[in-house]
Amino acid sequence: MSEIRIGTASWTDKSLIDSGRFYPREAKSAEARLRYYAAQFPIVEVDSSYYAMPSPEVSRLWAERTPDNFLFNVKAFRLFTGHQTAPAVLPKDIREALGPIDKKNVYYKDVPGQLLAELWSRFREAIEPLRRAGKLGAVDFRFAPWLAFHPENFKHIDECIGQLEGHRSP
């Protein structure tokens, strides 16, 4: 039988914090909020990874600060999902390797293969501490609405699956 887990879209969700009704007053830091959240719910969605590439160190700390059976569903980085991505949110060395960009946003198709390979590698490294700790529930790909029912888009989805082969919790 499958297990159903209930959680929210982030332990740092503005509405949870601003309501003043969920977190105790002493839970002022992100660490304290995560520890409290993980005592209330068995799962959370990491929303921040959609907006910026996470780091392995941060993922390691998340794993350490939560109970053994806690799970993180990590949103895929926006570039991977076909959404527009401001160059400013890319890692500095990747941004520099792209050279001058005359557009406000870049898309997956705009990034050369070797830089995409490096971004995928960094994303896998970033979620690896969660996977090793048995705390990686899923990687959530919220594809852009304009990725319509089309063979080229199916290829992209297959590529995403292939890039994360073996990245389920052990």
Side-chain angles (χ1 to χ4, degrees):
M1 177 154 66
S2 295
E3 179 181 14
I4 296 174
R5 292 179 178 227
I6 306 293
T8 69
S10 176
W11 65 94
T12 60
D13 180 79
K14 187 170 172 27
S15 62
L16 277 181
I17 296 167
D18 289 350
S19 75
R21 290 181 282 173
F22 180 71
Y23 290 109
R25 244 175 247 193
E26 60 274 7
K28 301 238 183 260
S29 68
E31 176 184 352
R33 289 181 183 127
L34 176 57
R35 289 184 188 279
Y36 180 80
Y37 177 96
Q40 311 305 310
F41 294 103
I43 191 168
V44 73
E45 178 184 77
V46 177
D47 190 51
S48 61
S49 52
Y50 171 80
Y51 298 99
M53 295 284 283
S55 75
E57 176 62 16
V58 168
S59 292
R60 184 185 62 75
L61 290 171
W62 292 341
E64 289 175 0
R65 293 170 176 170
T66 52
D68 290 342
N69 65 344
F70 191 82
L71 292 179
F72 292 85
N73 283 351
V74 179
K75 262 192 182 177
F77 182 52
R78 65 184 300 129
L79 185 76
F80 302 152
T81 64
H83 286 91
Q84 67 275 19
T85 304
V89 303
L90 295 171
K92 185 178 182 206
D93 61 323
I94 301 289
R95 198 170 53 243
E96 289 172 354
L98 279 172
I101 298 169
D102 59 353
K103 308 188 278 185
K104 181 179 172 187
N105 294 302
V106 295
Y107 293 83
Y108 195 85
K109 63 181 175 45
D110 299 328
V111 180
Q114 69 186 43
L115 296 179
L116 287 173
E118 180 60 24
L119 286 167
W120 277 111
S121 176
R122 291 181 193 186
F123 188 78
R124 287 189 301 270
E125 288 172 18
I127 62 175
E128 181 60 17
L130 295 173
R131 191 196 68 75
R132 268 195 328 268
K135 295 185 177 192
L136 179 62
V139 177
D140 183 6
F141 283 84
R142 303 248 174 115
F143 290 105
W146 49 85
L147 286 183
F149 192 83
H150 187 276
E152 284 302 310
N153 295 331
F154 297 152
K155 285 182 193 175
H156 179 71
I157 292 168
D158 286 341
E159 179 181 355
C160 293
I161 292 167
Q163 288 289 348
L164 293 175
E165 185 88 25
H167 275 76
R168 298 264 332 219
S169 290

